[in-house]
Each structure stands twice: as structure tokens, then as C-alpha cells.
């Protein structure tokens, strides 16, 4: 459904915690339609896995009450939405249903479902991906992507979309919390899908900005990878900028060192508290820019350390690495996660002035490892968001993996909160 240009832009969200699916649907539809004064052309639905046995009933019940719009969604271990007092809530492990409707004049909303065997080979030309998605790169679409956790070619999909739609922002997550008895739940245009992925491509008078809060803080200094093979770090040396800074500006010739030796020395220099944290929450960040001199939070792609070889001092990490890249070790805990999110939201707020257009709505894709289990209190990440953007409706879900860009490329993340912020110019 197209919304005529000149119609007011509206984005509304509603959340129900009623244990009856029919009652929950009635509540969210009534609240969103009462708030929405114009026809919707976009819909997003997130349903708690507490309703997993009733996933097959969701779409028929929604179709009875909602107009025929581009609608996607999925099941999650927890859902995020706006309650009847327009306060953001994160409901984890309990029945909940979140519905977002938007009336976006001048915006084309294109929904799609893909299975893994439909994806082109990574050697295929860009137009193969364009034919698959069904929208031209000239339209500069922005993407919301929701996938089944068993979707085996997700990284291929993200690389392919980056290849075909360079410059387009992609955010989303993996459905979570489903049981093997009932299977996962993906929803697209009033149909339930048990596998693959569903998505929305939005083009026209719409901008999507992404904030990817990976929940880590850097320790030590950046190092330059001088030897690496596939996902194995073999040799590091101090990065010239850190060497110069530590030597008062004089040139220092650094030597290649085994990564494990560098790490052990770093751990010894940490506080007792951080040394204890490093025993179970140590990660590595891979800088995504080869040219930026001063690296900040948000400049690193955070990946796990998955093994060491004490014989040669090598470290295996959860991604490919190559000589010339910069890396820095990181720690993750609730304090680091909170500070990371606050830093990134504050930076975004400072750089998104009125000339860029106001935020009209936002989505939150947060790892199931965050939430109350990480912070010891409910609604933490969403309340940090609302502190910076108190009037922006927010919805989303807790994911089994989060999708968002770092340094211009799209990745799958863990222990991350990805926020997609929508603006009309």
C-alpha cells in the first residue's frame, strides 16, 4: 500500500503482555490504529517464544484486523515495545507481543522471503543479487533482515547484499527462543515461515542509521598484524602511533612479537579486577579502517578468542585476519556494555543535527546474553536509548545473533545491541 506524498509521517508501537494471543493481538492492533491517523504501509511484529506453540495462528489473526501491508517479524526469547503509557519495556521469558505500524509517505516498502538454496554464489555478479531481492540499487534501499538461527549462509547473504547494495544500511537479527517441538517463527506478508530469512527493503524518503554497541572496552594499545593466516594471529608489532606516543615523539623501531606473549604481558599490567575479568570475558577488536589514525569505540569489529598455540605463541580468533590490519584486546562486562552504548548514542546525538531530519522511529536488536541477565535490572539498554531519544518509538526483540554494520561492512555479532534509527529528510 502506497501512502500519498504530503500525508503526515507516523511511526507507532504497542506492546501487550496478555497471556491470551487473541487478547494480545486485539490490544496492540487497537492501540496502534488509534494512534495512527493515516493508512500504514509498514508493519513489524515481534512475538515472545512463550507463544511458540501458537505461531501458526498469529498471521491469520492479524490479517483479520490489519490492512494488507508489507509486514515482517519473528519470534524471540524477549520482545521490546511501547506499553500503554508509551514507556519502553523489554519483556523477557514471558508472553508478549510487540506491533509497530508506520505511515511513511514517499517511501516504497518491499518485503521478501529467501531460503538458503536461493542465494547466488559469492562469485555471481551484483545483478544476480538484485534480481533475487527485486529492488534496484539506484533506489538506495535500507534493509531490515530477520533470519532463522539455522540459516546456514547468512554470512554469504550479508556479503552479497553489501556487494550489490553498497552504501545501504542493513540491520536485524536471528530469531531466538524457539523450541524444537514447534520450530522457529519468521513472518512475511501474513505467512509463517519455519526457515530461511525475511526482510524489508525501504527506499525513497527514508534514511536508516545504525548504532552497533558491542559492549566492550579496549585495553592496552592497538597492534599491527605483521603475520596472519586465515583466522590465526602469528605476529604483532606495536602500531606506530602508539609507539610514538609512548616515546615522547621519538622514532622507535618495534619488533615482531608472538601474539600470546603480547597478551600475557598485557594481562599482567591490568588491575586485579580486570585480570579476573580477562579469564572469561576477553575479546579482540579488529579495526575496520586502515586509514583512521586515532581509533575509538565503534571502530572495531569485536571477535572471540577461540584458542592458542603456546609452541609458537599464536592466537586463533573468530574471524579472518590479514597482515596490515590493526587489532586491540578488549574486555566485556555490564559496566563496559553500558558505557559503550552511552558513548555511541551520545556521539550519534551530537552528530545528527536538525539538518539531517528528525528520528521518527527505531528498532532494537539485542543479544539474549544482555538484558536483565547482564545488567541485573530490566529495560536497561532501551532506557539508555530513551534517555537520548525520549520521543522516538522503539520496538524489537532479543536475538540469537545481531546484524549490523561496522566500518562500512555488515556483520553478524554476539552480545551486541544494534539500533536502527529511521529518519525522513
Amino acid at each position: 500500500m502506497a501512502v500519498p506524498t504530503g500525508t503526515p509521517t507516523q511511526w507507532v508501537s504497542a506492546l501487550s503482555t496478555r497471556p491470551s494471543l487473541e487478547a494480545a493481538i486485539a490490544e496492540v492492533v487497537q492501540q496502534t490504529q488509534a494512534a495512527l491517523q493515516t493508512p500504514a504501509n509498514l508493519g513489524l511484529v515481534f512475538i515472545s517464544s512463550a507463544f511458540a506453540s501458537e505461531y501458526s495462528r498469529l498471521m491469520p489473526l492479524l490479517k483479520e484486523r490489519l490492512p494488507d501491508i508489507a509486514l515482517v517479524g519473528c519470534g524471540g526469547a524477549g520482545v521490546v515495545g511501547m506499553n500503554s503509557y508509551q514507556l519502553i519495556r523489554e519483556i523477557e521469558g514471558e508472553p508478549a507481543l510487540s506491533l509497530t505500524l508506520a505511515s511513511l509517505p514517499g517511501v516504497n516498502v518491499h518485503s521478501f522471503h529467501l531460503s538458503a538454496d536461493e542465494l547466488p554464489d559469492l562469485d555471481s555478479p551484483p545483478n544476480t543479487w538484485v534480481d533475487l531481492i527485486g529492488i534496484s540499487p539506484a533506489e538506495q534501499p535500507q534493509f531490515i533482515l530477520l533470519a532463522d538461527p539455522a540459516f546456514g549462509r547468512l554470512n554469504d547473504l550479508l556479503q552479497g547484499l553489501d556487494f550489490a547494495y553498497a552504501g545501504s544500511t542493513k540491520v536485524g537479527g536471528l530469531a531466538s527462543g524457539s523450541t524444537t517441538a514447534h520450530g522457529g517463527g519468521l513472518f512475511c506478508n501474513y505467512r509463517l515461515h519455519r526457515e530461511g530469512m525475511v526482510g524489508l527493503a525501504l527506499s525513497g524518503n527514508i534514511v536508516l542509521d545504525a548504532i552497533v554497541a558491542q559492549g566492550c572496552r579496549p585495553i592496552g594499545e592497538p597492534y599491527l598484524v605483521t603475520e596472519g593466516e586465515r583466522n590465526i594471529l602469528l605476529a604483532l608489532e606495536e602500531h606506530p602511533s602508539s609507539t610514538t606516543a609512548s616515546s615522547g615523539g621519538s622514532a622507535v623501531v618495534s619488533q615482531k612479537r608472538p601474539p600470546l606473549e603480547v597478551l600475557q604481558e598485557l594481562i599482567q599490567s591490568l588491575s586485579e579486577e580486570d585480570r579476573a575479568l580477562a579469564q572469561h570475558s576477553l575479546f579482540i577488536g579488529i579495526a575496520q579502517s586502515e586509514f583512521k589514525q586515532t581509533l575509538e569505540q565503534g571502530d572495531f569489529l569485536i571477535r572471540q578468542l577461540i584458542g592458542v598455540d603456546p609452541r609458537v605463541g599464536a592466537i586463533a580468533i573468530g574471524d579472518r585476519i590479514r597482515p596490515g590490519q590493526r587489532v586491540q584486546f578488549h574486555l566485556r562486562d555490564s559496566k563496559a556494555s553500558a558505557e559503550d552504548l552511552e558513548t555511541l548514542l551520545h556521539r550519534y546525538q551530537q552528530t545528527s543535527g536538525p539538518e539531517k531530519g528528525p528520528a521518527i522511529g527505531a528498532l532494537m536488536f539485542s543479544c539474549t546474553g544482555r538484558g536483565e541477565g547482564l545488567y541485573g535490572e530490566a529495560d536497561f539498554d532501551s532506557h539508555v536509548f530513551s534517555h537520548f531519544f525520549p520521543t522516538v518509538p522503539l520496538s524489537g526483540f532479543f536475538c540469537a545473533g545481531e546484524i549490523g554494520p561496522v566500518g562500512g561492512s555488515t556483520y553478524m555479532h554476539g552480545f551486541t545491541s544494534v539500533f536502527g534509527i529511521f529518519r525522513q529528510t
Side-chain angles (χ1 to χ4, degrees):
M1 178 186 296
V3 177
T5 303
T7 303
T9 296
Q10 288 187 285
W11 185 293
V12 298
S13 170
L15 176 74
S16 176
T17 56
R18 294 180 182 272
S20 158
L21 182 59
E22 285 89 349
I25 289 173
E27 184 173 24
V28 296
V29 170
Q30 188 277 326
Q31 288 184 19
T32 53
Q33 290 190 327
L36 202 65
Q37 304 301 314
T38 55
N41 61 337
L42 176 148
L44 293 155
V45 61
F46 303 109
I47 184 170
S48 164
S49 57
F51 284 121
S53 62
E54 299 185 83
Y55 281 174
S56 61
R57 301 176 60 228
L58 176 63
M59 289 295 100
L61 289 171
L62 274 178
K63 192 168 186 178
E64 290 177 6
R65 293 175 171 269
L66 282 181
D68 189 13
I69 60 173
L71 174 73
V72 301
C74 68
V79 301
V80 182
M82 313 292 291
N83 68 10
S84 57
Y85 300 100
Q86 287 302 289
L87 299 174
I88 304 171
R89 293 293 317 280
E90 302 171 17
I91 307 297
E92 303 178 60
E94 298 177 14
L97 180 69
S98 172
L99 176 67
T100 295
L101 296 179
S103 177
L104 304 175
V107 177
N108 175 49
V109 184
H110 172 69
S111 55
F112 55 92
H113 168 260
L114 301 175
S115 59
D117 56 13
E118 291 182 84
L119 299 189
D121 187 274
L122 284 180
D123 294 328
S124 301
N127 65 285
T128 310
W129 291 91
V130 172
D131 292 342
L132 179 68
I133 300 299
I135 188 167
S136 169
E139 296 185 40
Q140 298 180 310
Q142 312 294 316
F143 290 92
I144 302 167
L145 306 172
L146 308 172
D148 179 71
F151 188 72
R153 296 186 62 195
L154 185 61
N155 287 330
D156 290 353
L157 173 68
L158 299 181
Q159 289 182 47
L161 291 181
D162 279 351
F163 181 43
Y165 299 95
S168 294
T169 302
K170 299 100 181 167
V171 299
L174 303 186
S176 65
S178 61
T179 63
T180 55
H182 304 295
L186 298 170
F187 309 102
C188 182
N189 294 346
Y190 304 98
R191 292 187 60 189
L192 167 65
H193 300 275
R194 296 293 189 182
E195 53 79 34
M197 61 81 56
V198 298
L200 287 176
L202 283 65
S203 58
N205 184 26
I206 193 79
V207 176
L208 171 58
D209 296 325
I211 293 174
V212 181
Q214 299 176 85
C216 286
R217 57 181 166 90
I219 54 175
E221 299 290 340
Y223 281 84
L224 189 68
V225 178
T226 53
E227 292 181 34
E229 183 178 338
R230 300 178 69 85
N231 70 322
I232 309 296
L233 281 174
L234 295 170
L236 299 175
E237 68 177 35
E238 288 187 54
H239 188 256
S241 61
S242 59
T243 303
T244 301
S246 63
S247 59
S250 60
V252 174
V253 178
S254 60
Q255 296 182 337
K256 293 191 293 186
R257 300 175 60 194
L260 186 56
E261 178 184 303
V262 171
L263 177 58
Q264 290 170 334
E265 182 179 287
L266 172 60
I267 290 176
Q268 290 304 311
S269 71
L270 298 176
S271 67
E272 184 176 343
E273 181 182 5
D274 280 353
R275 280 201 300 272
L277 187 61
Q279 297 301 312
H280 55 81
S281 298
L282 180 66
F283 298 82
I284 193 163
I286 306 170
Q288 296 302 289
S289 171
E290 297 183 10
F291 307 105
K292 188 174 182 181
Q293 289 299 308
T294 303
L295 297 172
E296 305 174 279
Q297 282 179 272
D299 293 334
F300 293 94
L301 176 64
I302 304 299
R303 288 298 185 245
Q304 290 183 311
L305 305 180
I306 59 178
V308 300
D309 184 346
R311 297 171 302 165
V312 296
I315 296 177
I317 67 175
D319 211 328
R320 288 180 175 269
I321 195 74
R322 56 176 172 75
Q325 289 185 299
R326 290 173 290 172
V327 297
Q328 188 167 3
F329 292 102
H330 285 66
L331 291 176
R332 175 181 282 145
D333 61 5
S334 58
K335 181 180 179 182
S337 293
E339 291 176 350
D340 179 43
L341 179 56
E342 289 175 0
T343 296
L344 296 175
L345 285 168
H346 181 262
R347 187 185 304 164
Y348 175 78
Q349 186 185 56
Q350 295 298 108
T351 58
S352 59
E355 68 280 357
K356 290 189 174 182
I360 57 172
L363 298 174
M364 170 178 158
F365 305 100
S366 188
C367 180
T368 55
R370 292 173 72 106
E372 194 167 359
L374 175 64
Y375 296 111
E377 59 181 279
D379 310 320
F380 191 93
D381 281 354
S382 60
H383 281 185
V384 173
F385 177 86
S386 67
H387 172 76
F388 289 93
F389 301 97
T391 63
V392 178
L394 181 70
S395 62
F397 75 105
F398 284 86
C399 315
E402 303 76 55
I403 297 169
V406 175
S409 297
T410 311
Y411 297 96
M412 174 60 60
H413 305 275
F415 299 99
T416 295
S417 276
V418 174
F419 289 85
I421 301 175
F422 295 86
R423 295 184 288 108
Q424 285 199 290
T425 54

